[in-house]
Amino acid sequence: MSDITMKFDLPVPMRDGTVLMADVAWPAGDGPFPVLVERTPYDKNYRSTANFDTIDGLRAGFIIVRQDTRGSGKSEGEWMPMKYEREDGYDTIAWAATLPKSNGKVGTFGGSYTGSTQWSSAIAHAPELRAMAPLVTWSDPADGLMFRGGAVELGLNSWWGLMNALPHFLHTYPPEIAFPKMGQALGHFAALKERFWELPAAAQPFFVDLGMPDVGVARALEDRSTMDESRVDGHYEKLSVPSLNIAGWYDVFVQGSVDNYVGMRAQGAATRLIVGPWSHSSLNAGATLGEVGEVNFGLGMLSPGGEQISKINFDWYDHWLRDTPATSAHESGVLIFVMGANAWRAETDWPLARAVTTPLYLDEESALRWDAPESTDAASTYEYDPADPVMTRGGNLVMGSDYPAGPYDQRIAEERDDVLVFTTAPLELDVEITGRISATLFAATDGPSTDWVVRLCEVDSEGVSRNIVDGITRVHTEAGRIDEVTIDLWSTSILIKAGHRLRAHVTSSNFPRWDRNLNTGEPANVGTTIRVAQQRILHDAAHPSRIDLQIIPA
């Protein structure tokens, strides 16, 4: 270790003259070595070991670069999330390739925002970028980052915006203004459960007063094209950089990670997908001992295929950055953790070709059945009051410690009058659900707009009902009109054991994960008036409301 060389705060000039700062560590020896780069807004001094350990990387013979993104840490420039990452990524990759002892080949690493910066460099077509390994990151910012089904990702937006405002105040304001604002932000953090209720939801007064950008919601509502700055979807056909995608079934970006794999595979690019039962932070060192939410999936969940995530990454880079012979680690394919069975399984591709789309129908007497309804006139009704929404408990989310992600007991929500509950009979045989799940509702409301939320749960032999997947669709409609509404519940892999039951919830809120639809049709960045809505779900022969599962034949 004494032969390792480290240099701090090396200047990296961007094309517009802005200077970003990077820390660089060189392994022992003369090289040449490949270079691995992480570009982060979270301070380059923070060394997460979620999927990559710097010391292991140096021992494996990689030059390691960690850079503060524009307007972050010690880097110059404006802090505006996502806006500059493509151009800055291109320029940084070019700089990294010319470092002393470099072999000219660059790979990237990191998760969430720093996973997105990897895709940004690839989309910018940085020629020296030869491989990447994005962890828990998105594909379409309108599907999990800023919005979901038209609703605002309120929990993520408010929490992330506050978290990132704190270290960026001094980049934006002089100290005499920055420090009081930091104090205000800390107070808002402490009271965030109350702050979530402020309206308008996409321009909450407490956050607007801080004068800092959110994750991108406010800009997107003013100009939808700003979402293109962080969108991967739609760029696959122009990309060829090999990608190792790592995701979690209970992560807020799981579908984006899956979509990135599918998009690259469709273009014939080398790409792999690993999905564990993880939340957004499950892989952080010390964050879990096999538990996600209320379920212990076993320590094996931390070692995909029996290997550590860090080793999987280094094996991935070796071929693409050193020209070592390709192995099975470099073949396109999928490694998934099947919850319930609590085991890893390799698949040749996603979605699984053998999966069978199988509908579960909402029926009378709160039943969820495998056979289509026969009734000619069946419906269920409820009243949705935005002042009394269904509160978030678990799921695919990242929004602070008050609202942990994962599977949780949903029986409190099921007792509410505004949550319709439909349940199967106990299963006679084990049933594996692996794939992307969707719901179709034939629904009507009495106003110009509302939300439809569907959740799929597993009910165990003790009667505990835990969430598997859920989704939301915001509709703009005419009062009383019956709409056929599709709700994307995203992907999962779970074995439901014989004797257990499946359960569906239908409701109109999941707050504060998603902002409340006020039922008035006002945009989320101006709406403050609440209206109670009368909701109606049809589930008869002519209106077969259902959840479409992907069942793996036994």
Side-chain angles (χ1 to χ4, degrees):
M1 293 295 292
S2 60
D3 293 326
I4 289 174
T5 302
M6 297 191 71
K7 293 187 178 181
F8 301 97
D9 299 330
L10 295 181
V12 187
M14 299 294 103
R15 64 189 66 182
D16 64 354
T18 302
V19 176
L20 309 187
M21 293 297 182
D23 295 343
V24 182
W26 284 266
D30 297 327
F33 304 109
V35 184
L36 298 179
V37 175
E38 181 183 38
R39 304 189 59 253
T40 178
Y42 305 128
D43 192 334
K44 58 184 170 59
N45 294 311
Y46 172 63
R47 302 289 200 266
S48 170
T49 59
N51 71 319
F52 185 94
D53 183 83
T54 298
I55 300 302
D56 288 345
L58 292 168
R59 285 173 173 157
F62 295 96
I63 299 171
I64 309 298
V65 176
R66 276 192 161 95
Q67 181 193 63
D68 288 327
T69 56
R70 184 178 293 242
S72 302
K74 294 189 176 181
S75 291
E76 298 176 353
E78 175 194 29
W79 165 239
M80 185 57 67
M82 323 297 174
K83 184 176 180 180
Y84 302 101
E85 305 305 356
R86 289 180 186 167
E87 293 83 358
D88 289 355
Y90 183 104
D91 294 347
T92 299
I93 297 298
W95 173 86
T98 65
L99 284 168
K101 299 185 181 182
S102 166
N103 70 357
K105 297 179 181 180
V106 180
T108 52
F109 66 97
S112 196
Y113 193 108
T114 71
S116 178
T117 59
Q118 297 181 60
W119 284 107
S120 293
S121 298
I123 291 169
H125 301 293
E128 301 86 358
L129 179 60
R130 303 298 179 86
M132 55 184 176
L135 170 78
V136 293
T137 196
W138 60 89
S139 171
D140 181 353
D143 191 29
L145 175 65
M146 303 177 195
F147 306 95
R148 174 84 183 271
V152 176
E153 284 281 0
L154 177 67
L156 186 157
N157 188 50
S158 297
W159 170 79
W160 191 92
L162 270 177
M163 179 184 71
N164 282 280
L166 285 166
H168 288 95
F169 279 122
L170 287 171
H171 271 277
T172 307
Y173 299 102
E176 63 272 17
I177 297 176
F179 284 112
K181 284 184 175 290
M182 291 171 70
Q184 294 171 19
L186 288 170
H188 294 322
F189 245 131
L192 190 54
K193 291 181 74 171
E194 290 73 37
R195 295 291 183 266
F196 281 133
W197 294 84
E198 290 192 10
L199 295 172
Q204 293 178 306
F206 83 90
F207 194 80
V208 172
D209 288 345
L210 293 176
M212 296 297 286
D214 62 17
V215 75
V217 169
R219 293 176 66 216
L221 289 174
E222 294 293 334
D223 179 2
R224 303 290 289 187
S225 70
T226 59
M227 286 192 288
D228 294 339
E229 296 165 356
S230 61
R231 180 175 282 114
V232 183
D233 181 40
H235 291 277
Y236 304 120
E237 64 182 20
K238 299 177 182 178
L239 300 179
S240 59
V241 179
S243 58
L244 170 63
N245 303 276
I246 301 175
W249 293 129
Y250 285 102
D251 178 47
V252 68
F253 303 136
V254 60
Q255 193 58 54
S257 296
V258 171
D259 289 347
N260 285 336
Y261 165 83
V262 171
M264 293 298 284
R265 186 70 186 270
Q267 301 304 317
T271 183
R272 292 189 63 79
L273 174 67
I274 298 173
V275 192
W278 311 311
S279 67
H280 198 65
S281 60
S282 290
L283 292 177
N284 285 338
T288 178
L289 292 175
E291 291 187 0
V292 179
E294 294 179 336
V295 176
N296 192 320
F297 293 103
L299 290 176
M301 80 169 199
L302 298 173
S303 302
E307 294 188 331
Q308 296 299 310
I309 294 287
S310 191
K311 181 180 184 303
I312 291 171
N313 275 271
F314 297 138
D315 287 347
W316 176 252
Y317 297 127
D318 273 343
H319 170 62
W320 308 112
L321 304 183
R322 301 188 202 271
D323 294 327
T324 58
T327 69
S328 59
H330 307 100
E331 297 174 359
S332 294
V334 178
L335 184 62
I336 57 173
F337 189 92
V338 183
M339 299 180 291
N342 293 349
W344 289 97
R345 189 174 72 211
E347 297 286 348
T348 57
D349 204 1
W350 184 278
L352 277 59
R354 65 184 184 279
V356 178
T357 302
T358 306
L360 261 179
Y361 295 95
L362 280 56
D363 209 342
E364 296 180 288
E365 299 178 350
S366 298
L368 193 60
R369 306 187 193 279
W370 302 101
D371 297 321
E374 297 179 353
S375 172
T376 58
D377 184 20
S380 300
T381 61
Y382 63 94
E383 183 176 274
Y384 161 50
D385 182 357
D388 182 25
V390 179
M391 301 302 293
T392 297
R393 181 166 170 77
N396 306 71
L397 51 84
V398 54
M399 47 187 291
S401 59
D402 287 327
Y403 300 92
Y408 281 91
D409 189 348
Q410 300 294 317
R411 286 177 292 181
I412 292 177
E414 292 169 0
E415 294 174 357
R416 295 175 58 107
D417 292 336
D418 59 352
V419 179
L420 303 180
V421 177
F422 301 84
T423 310
T424 67
L427 300 182
E428 296 180 0
L429 300 171
D430 291 354
V431 173
E432 182 186 328
I433 304 168
T434 296
R436 193 166 189 165
I437 300 172
S438 66
T440 300
L441 297 181
F442 291 87
T445 186
D446 66 344
S449 178
T450 200
D451 287 350
W452 302 111
V453 174
V454 175
R455 180 178 298 108
L456 180 68
C457 299
E458 176 186 13
V459 184
D460 66 18
S461 57
E462 302 298 321
V464 179
S465 174
R466 292 189 177 92
N467 53 293
I468 304 171
V469 289
D470 59 9
I472 186 170
T473 294
R474 178 157 294 177
V475 298
H476 298 277
T477 184
E478 297 176 4
R481 187 179 73 194
I482 299 172
D483 295 321
E484 183 176 354
V485 182
T486 299
I487 301 101
D488 185 359
L489 307 189
W490 286 2
S491 297
T492 192
S493 181
I494 186 168
L495 181 72
I496 310 298
K497 295 183 178 179
H500 291 199
R501 293 172 288 165
L502 288 167
R503 177 169 290 168
H505 300 176
V506 178
T507 186
S508 291
S509 55
N510 182 352
F511 176 83
R513 177 183 175 185
W514 297 314
D515 74 313
R516 297 165 289 164
N517 192 316
L518 306 184
N519 302 317
T520 64
E522 290 183 287
N525 56 348
V526 297
T528 58
T529 301
I530 288 176
R531 175 186 169 278
V532 177
Q534 304 301 319
Q535 315 289 61
R536 185 167 178 248
I537 304 295
L538 289 78
H539 43 81
D540 53 35
H543 306 93
S545 294
R546 63 193 181 275
I547 295 180
D548 287 319
L549 307 176
Q550 299 300 316
I551 301 294
I552 306 303

